[in-house]
């Protein structure tokens, strides 16, 4: 069972099921994953699954929310707010790539499969976008940015930035290229948008 999100082991039935969903989606994608797959990997019962989640989609949405929050927190911790803006951007991009590289199949499923799940997925997707935008605004408000006279990135630019990084990520995963290959183009694009500041 995946240990990246639960390094000390999943401590509850819910966490075991989320970890199992992560393993299954990372290996086969959301569409091919079944509740039977999840409970088999989690070594629990269907009854236990339905005590925690309404259905497979509900479990997947919970996983997306969990991994989004943990990835954002990891990126925030990796950036030195006193470093030069160029270094901060590179630190953020490198941390994102490292986190995504641990489970590229899941990242691709977020990008390609989540939007196809209808209106309930739109809520999850929009929540995630707002969390990413908030991260970008916080990072671009760091002391070193302020000292350089760089205004916090606008919401519009932050949304544009996130969309571009997602597509670079999906393209790399789909082509089988190492995710490390997106570090340079993503850093350059992010830096350009950050230095542009507001609207």
């Amino acid at each position: 069972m995946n240990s990246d999100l639960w390094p000390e082991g999943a401590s509850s039935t819910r966490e075991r099921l989320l970890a199992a969903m992560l393993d299954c989606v990372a290996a086969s994608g959301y569409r091919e994953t079944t509740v039977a797959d999840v409970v088999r990997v989690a070594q629990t019962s269907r009854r236990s699954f339905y005590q925690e989640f309404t259905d497979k989609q509900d479990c997947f949405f919970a996983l997306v929310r969990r991994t989004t929050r943990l990835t954002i927190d990891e990126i925030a911790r990796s950036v030195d707010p006193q470093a030069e803006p160029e270094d901060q951007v590179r630190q953020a991009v490198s941390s994102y790539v490292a986190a995504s590289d641990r489970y590229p199949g899941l990242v691709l499923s977020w990008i390609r499969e989540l939007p196809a799940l209808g209106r309930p997925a739109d809520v999850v997707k929009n929540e995630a976008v707002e969390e990413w935008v908030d991260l970008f605004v916080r990072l671009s408000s760091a002391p070193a940015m302020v000292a350089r006279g760089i205004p916090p990135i606008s919401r519009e630019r932050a949304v544009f930035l996130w969309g571009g990084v997602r597509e670079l990520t999906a393209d790399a995963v789909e082509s089988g290229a190492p995710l490390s290959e997106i570090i340079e183009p993503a850093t350059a694009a992010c830096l350009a948008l950050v230095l542009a500041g507001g609207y």
Side-chain angles (χ1 to χ4, degrees), residues 125-126 128-137 153-167 193 197:
K125 183 183 69 174
N126 291 339
V129 169
E130 291 306 317
E131 290 195 66
W132 283 106
V133 167
D134 179 65
L135 173 69
F136 298 150
V137 172
I153 192 170
S154 69
R155 184 182 187 281
E156 291 76 10
R157 288 183 189 271
V159 171
F160 187 78
L161 184 159
W162 177 231
V165 170
R166 280 165 48 96
E167 282 306 310
L193 286 168

Side-chain angles (χ1 to χ4, degrees), residues 37 40 85 103:
D37 294 329
R40 174 179 49 78
Y103 32 83

